[in-house]
């Protein structure tokens, strides 16, 4: 079901505290949502796996009304460029991108930005007789955008493609461009973190960020430490895999990880990693994966 | 006069791809498929603990991570000689099955259908090349976009019941599975599966069948070589000798002539790839990767996997043909139909597997991954045959090689000079043979070379996944600037796929 802007606003009101929205923010949000098309969004993929886009498509609001990725695209943002979702291809897609880039837009980047070899290990499109690298594309766009959103751990911190020996010199969006970015990590990221951050921006508010550039509401403080929130905290340790218990002895990285997975859960409140007896991998942290590899201690 | 059209980016696929087609008298006469991203996963894996591999390889692709998890744990099981408890085998199958369903629904409604049906008149669906829309604007396929969003999401919710979280799930470990199923889990899974089977049967399959009545010409477009291969998937017993989709191959589109598959006949050619010809035709278990750039006639970082020296197409159509489940032909629409019918067959089978779970029985058997040796994990991703080859020594990974489905399908041509008329129509490897997707593109009618929607239809029918396939770069027309330093830097680890 595609919901109306009014219903989306109702959702935001109901979850205002969770999103960090105050009354004036809600008023601005209402105004922003009254605009016809929503803000223009250019979504580029660097050294991505598309997992964060797929995860975004798992969006469904925790409270009534139901709002999902279709609602987001149809009612709230004007997503002019996203290579996995867009109708246009080739020169027509490039033309859409250039038109959007000439106006005001929000830049979303999924995947890291390779910098070795002139950035040529990731080219995004063909323009004026040559392939344009992800490095050139983000550098041209990040300085002119309304905001830069790094979606997923790769765009936020480099992530898996930057793991040792970092074969293609992958950097985060902020490091590759030298421009500030809001980091929404997770491998993949949680759809609610992306939608929640976009809702704040629609309301004209810049979310408070933690020391790693992450929206503090989702990542900061002892209440966001995975181990401290974990329902298995204090349980007997599992002796081996396939057992229900605290997974510390198997290598669980919950104590070193800031995220709200134990409370928010994943896939419409279905489960989370530890719920399936699989260890927390630390995937929202800036050191992921190398700081947590080997992932298992047995 | 021939026109050369470069489509970059090819959109509505996973990952980065471009294609260059030569169009002469309104037909495609040549095609070169090019992937435009490389990350170096195989290098990243070297020197790590083997049990890291299922975690890391799931990051190759966010659309088919579960298949990489399955291939990786299977390779480590094979390395270590593990026997998997029945519950572990079934839980792996159910979670992988859930991801097949989400991937196929995602592919049809979001990636492929916009080639045939006008999407909502707004971004990101519009603008689009709209030269050959034959269904009425208010057709139900477009209106099913919204229920398809829910269906795809529900398939992931179903996978998370045992997987923990989707799209990536770390319940796949060598020796079995981590989740311990409860009655509540079974009920949740069963309820989602019932809803999905209803959607597949009453919406997805009829929508694809309807497409056939409006676009019947696409039953003879994009035919390709007719060489089909499946590694097989969904083991039905502990030995894996019985599978829902069996291992095997079909040559030249000959029905009822399914051959068995001998792994030692898989080699990778590099004649038109930027690798040293001295590494030509090696088996993946002994694969070497020595980049060489520039190189005459090369236009791709993808090596070209071949079986008995011949190009093979992989994917749902190959699985369904090899299994004797599909009675149609080989074409753009046959690929879509086989994919939909496979989804239905799989969902029905999963209902049975769910009831075979034995609550309270083990899901994992306590075992140690062997510190030295080698193993192979063969399975299927939604888009085709997937293989992981691993070697370890001293408890560390010493070599990890991956051949993905899109590597088979989007591989470059092999052999011969770069002449105009030396394509080998028979695909028997005697002269220059195009990659399967390139071959399927040749002959495609194109109404308007400025808006070659027909080319996208052929490409999308293969459901390409370029993050998996990794790497080809710009053809010789606009050579990428690479220097010797790059070749040296990548020498250890340019993944072949």
């Amino acid at each position: 079901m595609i919901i109306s802007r009014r219903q989306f606003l109702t959702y935001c009101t109901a979850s205002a505290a969770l999103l960090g929205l105050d009354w004036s923010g809600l008023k601005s949000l209402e105004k922003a949502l009254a605009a016809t098309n929503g803000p223009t969004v250019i979504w580029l993929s660097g050294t991505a796996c598309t997992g964060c886009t797929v995860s975004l498509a798992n969006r469904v609001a925790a409270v009534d009304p139901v709002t999902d990725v279709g609602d987001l695209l149809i009612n709230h943002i004007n997503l002019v460029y996203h290579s996995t979702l867009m109708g246009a291809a080739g020169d027509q897609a490039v033309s859409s991108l250039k038109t959007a880039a000439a106006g005001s837009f929000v830049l979303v980047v999924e995947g890291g930005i390779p910098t070795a070899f002139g950035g040529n290990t990731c080219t995004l499109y063909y323009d004026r007789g040559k392939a344009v690298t992800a490095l050139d594309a983000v550098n041209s766009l990040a300085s002119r955008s309304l905001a830069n959103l790094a979606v997923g751990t790769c765009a936020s911190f480099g992530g898996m493609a930057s793991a040792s020996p970092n074969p293609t010199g992958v950097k985060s969006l902020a490091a590759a461009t030298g421009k500030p970015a809001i980091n929404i990590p997770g491998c993949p990221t949680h759809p609610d973190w992306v939608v929640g951050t976009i809702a704040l921006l629609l309301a004209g508010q810049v979310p408070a960020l933690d020391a790693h550039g992450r929206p503090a509401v989702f990542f900061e403080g002892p209440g966001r430490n995975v181990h401290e929130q974990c329902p298995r905290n204090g349980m007997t340790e599992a002796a081996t895999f396939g057992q229900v218990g605290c997974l510390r002895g198997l290598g669980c990285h919950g104590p070193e990880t800031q995220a709200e997975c134990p409370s928010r859960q994943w896939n419409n409140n279905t489960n989370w990693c530890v719920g399936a007896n699989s260890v927390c991998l630390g995937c929202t942290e800036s050191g992921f994966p190398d700081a947590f590899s080997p992932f298992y201690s047995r | 006069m021939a026109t050369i059209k470069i489509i970059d980016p090819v959109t509505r696929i996973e990952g980065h791809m471009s294609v260059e087609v030569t169009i002469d008298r309104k037909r495609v006469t040549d095609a070169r498929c090019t992937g435009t991203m490389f990350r170096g996963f195989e290098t990243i894996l070297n020197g790590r603990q083997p049990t890291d591999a299922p975690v890391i390889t799931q990051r190759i692709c966010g659309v088919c991570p579960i298949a990489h998890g399955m291939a990786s744990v299977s390779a480590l099981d094979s390395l270590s000689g593990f026997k998997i408890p029945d519950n572990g085998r079934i839980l792996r199958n159910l979670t992988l099955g859930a991801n097949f369903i989400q991937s196929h629904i995602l592919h049809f409604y979001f990636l492929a259908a916009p080639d045939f049906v006008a999407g909502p008149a707004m971004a990101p669906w519009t603008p689009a090349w709209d030269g050959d829309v034959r269904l009425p604007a208010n057709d139900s396929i477009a209106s099913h976009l919204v229920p398809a969003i829910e269906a795809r999401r529900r398939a992931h919710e179903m996978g998370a019941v045992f997987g923990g979280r989707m799209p990536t799930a770390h319940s796949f470990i060598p020796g079995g599975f981590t989740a311990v199923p409860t009655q509540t889990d079974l009920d949740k899974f069963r309820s989602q599966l019932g809803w999905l089977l209803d959607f597949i049967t009453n919406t997805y399959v009829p929508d694809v069948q309807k497409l056939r009545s409006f676009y019947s010409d696409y039953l003879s477009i994009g035919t390709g070589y007719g060489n089909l291969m499946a590694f097989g998937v969904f083991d039905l017993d502990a030995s894996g000798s019985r599978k829902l989709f069996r291992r095997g191959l079909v040559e030249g589109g000959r029905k009822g002539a399914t051959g068995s598959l001998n792994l030692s006949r898989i080699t990778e050619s590099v004649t038109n790839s930027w690798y040293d010809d001295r590494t030509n035709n090696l088996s993946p278990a002994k694969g070497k990767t020595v980049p060489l750039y520039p190189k005459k006639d090369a236009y791709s970082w993808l090596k070209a996997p071949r079986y008995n020296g011949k190009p093979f197409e992989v994917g749902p159509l190959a699985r369904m043909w090899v299994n004797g489940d599909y009675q149609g032909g080989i074409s753009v629409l046959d690929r879509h139909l086989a994919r939909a019918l496979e989804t239905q067959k799989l969902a029905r089978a999963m209902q049975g597997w769910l009831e075979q779970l034995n609550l309270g029985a083990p899901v994992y058997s306590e075992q140690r991954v062997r510190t030295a040796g080698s193993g192979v994990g063969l399975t299927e991703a939604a888009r085709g045959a997937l293989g992981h080859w691993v070697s370890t020594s001293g408890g560390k990974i010493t070599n990890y090689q991956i051949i993905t489905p899109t590597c088979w399908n989007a591989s470059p041509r092999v052999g011969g000079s770069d002449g105009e008329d030396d394509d080998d129509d028979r695909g028997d490897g005697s002269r220059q043979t195009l990659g399967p997707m390139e071959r399927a593109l040749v002959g495609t009618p194109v109404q308007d070379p400025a808006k070659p929607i027909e080319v996208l239809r052929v490409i999308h029918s293969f459901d390409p996944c370029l993050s998996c396939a990794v790497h080809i770069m710009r053809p010789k027309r606009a050579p990428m600037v690479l220097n010797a330093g790059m070749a040296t830097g990548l020498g250890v680890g340019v993944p072949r796929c």
Side-chain angles (χ1 to χ4, degrees):
Chain A
M1 179 179 85
I2 296 170
I3 69 152
S4 66
R5 288 159 208 278
R6 172 59 52 190
Q7 286 169 311
F8 181 72
L9 195 66
T10 310
Y11 154 70
C12 290
T13 309
S15 49
L18 187 66
L19 297 171
L21 275 174
D22 57 16
W23 184 84
S24 70
L26 281 168
K27 283 285 144 200
S28 318
L29 179 60
E30 189 168 24
K31 205 170 158 190
L33 293 182
T36 357
N37 292 319
T40 292
V41 173
I42 296 174
W43 184 302
L44 297 182
S45 293
T47 52
C49 73
T50 316
C52 289
T53 291
V54 172
S55 187
L56 179 63
N58 286 336
R59 163 70 176 178
V60 57
V63 292
D64 200 47
V66 172
T67 171
D68 62 16
V69 72
D71 171 49
L72 179 76
L73 298 184
I74 290 167
N75 291 319
H76 304 300
I77 64 173
N78 181 34
L79 183 64
V80 294
Y81 193 91
H82 187 309
S83 67
T84 309
L85 298 174
M86 69 196 301
D91 42 19
Q92 190 180 39
V94 177
S95 163
S96 292
L97 175 66
K98 290 165 93 168
T99 306
S104 69
F105 62 91
V106 171
L107 176 66
V108 178
V109 173
E110 175 178 0
I113 308 300
T115 61
F117 320 115
N120 281 297
T121 60
C122 182
T123 60
L124 305 187
Y125 53 89
Y126 194 70
D127 187 32
R128 293 179 202 159
K130 72 181 187 74
V132 177
T133 65
L135 181 63
D136 285 345
V138 295
N139 269 303
S140 138
L141 295 174
S143 53
R144 294 187 281 129
S145 58
L146 296 171
N148 300 316
L149 264 59
V151 167
T153 300
C154 296
S156 297
F157 307 123
M160 193 54 84
S162 75
S164 174
N166 195 355
T168 60
V170 170
K171 290 185 177 174
S172 69
L173 173 62
T177 61
K179 302 293 173 200
I182 299 171
N183 294 330
I184 313 172
C187 190
T189 192
H190 196 296
D192 292 358
W193 303 335
V194 178
V195 173
T197 305
I198 290 174
L200 281 171
L201 291 170
L202 284 173
Q205 294 192 357
V206 177
L209 304 177
D210 74 359
H212 300 284
R214 304 176 293 195
V217 63
F218 302 125
F219 296 98
E220 193 174 57
R224 292 285 176 257
N225 180 276
V226 169
H227 185 63
E228 289 182 26
Q229 301 169 77
C230 185
R232 298 189 181 187
N233 190 336
M235 274 176 80
T236 308
E237 286 196 0
T240 185
F241 295 108
Q243 292 183 359
V244 180
C246 173
L247 305 175
R248 258 325 255 159
L250 304 179
C252 185
H253 298 287
E256 302 106 87
T257 304
Q258 294 290 117
E260 46 171 14
C261 304
S263 53
R264 189 175 288 275
Q265 303 265 306
W266 285 75
N267 302 96
N268 193 16
N269 209 30
T270 299
N271 209 345
W272 67 302
C273 297
V274 173
N277 304 322
S278 60
V279 304
C280 172
L281 299 165
C283 77
T284 56
E285 292 302 310
S286 61
F288 180 82
D290 286 344
F292 306 103
S293 168
F295 296 107
Y296 302 101
S297 56
R298 52 180 301 126
Chain B
M1 180 182 153
T3 309
I4 292 174
K5 176 81 176 173
I6 295 171
I7 305 174
D8 182 9
V10 171
T11 50
R12 284 182 280 115
I13 59 164
E14 194 294 318
H16 303 287
M17 179 182 186
S18 75
V19 64
E20 179 188 292
V21 285
T22 307
I23 301 166
D24 192 11
R25 279 163 289 184
K26 297 202 166 186
R27 270 186 199 277
V28 173
T29 55
D30 195 11
R32 286 161 185 256
C33 296
T34 297
T36 55
M37 177 181 72
F38 152 67
R39 291 168 298 183
F41 267 85
E42 291 161 344
T43 317
I44 289 168
L45 285 158
N46 278 339
R48 292 183 194 258
Q49 279 196 11
T51 48
D52 274 5
V55 173
I56 291 174
T57 58
Q58 286 199 45
R59 268 73 192 181
I60 290 172
C61 172
V63 181
C64 37
I66 307 302
H68 282 287
M70 177 74 116
S72 191
V73 294
S74 302
L76 295 174
D77 290 342
S78 129
L79 164 79
S80 310
F82 289 168
K83 298 277 178 271
I84 310 305
D86 280 344
N87 268 4
R89 171 180 58 79
I90 294 165
L91 290 167
R92 286 179 179 181
N93 284 348
L94 288 169
T95 308
L96 179 62
N99 201 49
F100 265 57
I101 294 173
Q102 86 81 24
S103 181
H104 285 352
I105 293 171
L106 169 77
H107 174 259
F108 182 70
Y109 287 98
F110 301 98
L111 309 185
D115 291 339
F116 301 96
V117 183
M122 60 189 300
W125 299 279
T126 301
W129 290 333
D130 51 4
D132 184 30
V133 175
R134 303 181 200 169
L135 287 132
N138 60 350
D139 180 77
S140 63
I141 296 181
S143 74
H144 292 156
L145 183 76
V146 172
I149 289 174
E150 179 180 356
R152 199 213 58 80
R153 169 173 63 76
R154 279 175 174 268
H156 256 180
E157 288 165 7
M158 179 168 77
V161 169
F162 301 123
R165 174 189 70 174
M166 299 289 259
T168 50
H170 301 292
S171 40
F172 286 78
I173 48 164
F177 205 77
T178 61
V180 177
T182 64
Q183 188 59 51
T184 310
D185 295 335
L186 261 58
D187 295 341
K188 271 195 210 170
F189 200 103
R190 188 184 295 110
S191 154
Q192 294 282 22
L193 187 53
W195 189 98
L196 282 161
L197 186 54
D198 182 65
F199 176 85
I200 293 160
T201 304
N202 298 311
T203 304
Y204 178 23
V205 171
D207 279 349
V208 182
Q209 282 167 338
K210 178 161 58 177
L211 216 51
R212 184 167 58 177
S213 60
F214 282 88
Y215 288 94
S216 58
D217 44 336
Y218 280 84
L219 287 164
S220 51
I221 292 172
T223 51
Y225 291 114
N227 293 345
L228 306 173
M229 174 190 291
F231 284 172
V233 65
F234 301 118
D235 291 358
L236 300 178
D237 57 28
S239 71
S241 59
R242 290 190 308 119
K243 298 177 194 294
L244 184 68
F245 297 106
R246 58 169 292 204
R247 184 172 297 173
L249 48 84
V250 168
E251 284 193 59
R254 285 186 294 277
K255 278 229 169 67
T258 304
S260 60
L261 194 139
N262 178 348
L263 279 188
S264 67
R265 293 184 184 163
I266 296 175
T267 54
E268 292 186 292
S269 169
V270 298
T271 57
N272 290 72
S273 312
W274 284 311
Y275 301 97
D276 194 322
D277 278 336
R278 285 172 295 185
T279 64
N280 199 29
N281 293 331
L282 296 180
S283 136
K286 296 178 178 168
K288 281 195 183 125
T289 300
V290 184
L292 184 66
Y293 187 98
K295 174 180 159 184
K296 186 176 181 296
D297 292 338
Y299 62 100
S300 172
W301 281 109
L302 227 68
K303 289 187 181 179
R306 296 291 187 258
Y307 184 84
N308 258 354
K310 300 174 194 175
F312 274 81
E313 170 181 341
V314 297
L317 183 67
R319 285 192 288 266
M320 294 287 276
W321 261 70
V322 166
N323 222 42
D325 288 328
Y326 189 72
Q327 306 308 320
I330 298 171
S331 68
V332 166
L333 281 190
D334 285 303
R335 289 188 191 96
H336 289 301
L337 279 162
R339 192 175 284 113
L341 294 170
E342 170 184 90
T343 315
Q344 189 179 40
K345 176 185 165 88
L346 172 61
R348 285 177 177 150
M350 285 165 69
Q351 287 184 321
W353 301 339
L354 197 59
E355 305 313 319
Q356 290 166 14
L357 280 173
N358 184 2
L359 297 187
V363 293
Y364 168 78
S365 59
E366 169 77 65
Q367 298 161 107
R368 297 286 171 160
V369 173
R370 199 167 284 166
T371 53
S374 59
V376 184
L378 299 184
T379 185
E380 296 272 336
R383 43 201 54 68
L386 172 66
H388 285 203
W389 283 257
V390 63
S391 298
T392 61
S393 176
K396 305 285 184 199
I397 295 170
T398 52
N399 194 27
Y400 205 101
Q401 305 292 339
I402 300 160
I403 300 185
T404 64
T406 301
C407 214
W408 287 96
N409 289 337
S411 61
R413 64 203 65 204
V414 167
S417 66
D418 194 18
E420 285 292 313
D421 299 305
D422 58 356
D423 293 355
D424 170 27
D425 287 354
R426 293 163 300 157
D428 63 4
S430 58
R431 287 175 296 166
Q432 191 179 58
T433 54
L434 305 194
M437 197 187 293
E438 293 177 337
R439 181 73 195 119
L441 279 165
V442 171
T444 300
V446 175
Q447 279 305 309
D448 179 359
K451 297 193 289 185
I453 185 71
E454 299 89 345
V455 169
L456 291 185
R457 287 172 180 159
V458 174
I459 293 172
H460 286 150
S461 72
F462 285 90
D463 190 8
C465 182
L466 268 293
S467 283
C468 284
V470 173
H471 217 111
I472 335 174
M473 277 201 187
R474 189 128 310 280
K476 59 188 175 187
R477 172 162 299 100
M480 197 185 75
V481 180
L482 278 181
N483 55 35
M486 178 169 185
T488 310
L490 300 183
V492 204
V494 173
R496 304 169 343 288
C497 281

